[in-house]
Amino acid sequence: MHFTVYCLDHEGMVERRLSHYEAHKAYLATAPMKTVMSGPLLASDQQTMIGSFFLYEADDIADVVRFNSNDPFNAAGIWKSVDVRPFLKRVDNR
């Protein structure tokens, strides 16, 4: 099953986000599930990072929630909101 994780930052988190980026990246490399894709969400200027998006392949939503809750970005209080949802992939044109 696929799961999306949509995280929005608190206002003014660009510097904090950058200071925790290496720890975040290292943590993502330890994912117990397959990361299909991930990356920052951007503001309308297409440059300012305002959140994070992940698409995971996992057996259980609880595994995704647990992994995401221990992310260094979450621990640093960067994310204002985190939304984890099941996702039914119908088209994949990669």
Side-chain angles (χ1 to χ4, degrees), residues 47-71:
Q47 294 181 17
T48 306
M49 293 176 282
I50 61 166
S52 304
F53 174 83
F54 308 91
L55 177 60
Y56 291 113
E57 187 175 308
D59 293 329
D60 188 353
I61 194 170
D63 295 334
V64 176
V65 170
R66 186 171 24 265
F67 181 71
N68 183 264
S69 69
N70 292 312
D71 188 295

Side-chain angles (χ1 to χ4, degrees), residues 12-25 49 72-73 76-78:
M13 287 290 126
V14 174
E15 292 302 318
R16 185 180 293 184
R17 172 181 269 276
L18 291 174
S19 71
H20 291 278
Y21 177 67
E22 290 302 321
H24 166 73
K25 189 168 70 169
M49 293 176 282
F73 279 0
I78 294 169

Side-chain angles (χ1 to χ4, degrees), residues 48 58 82 88:
T48 306
V82 176
L88 180 58

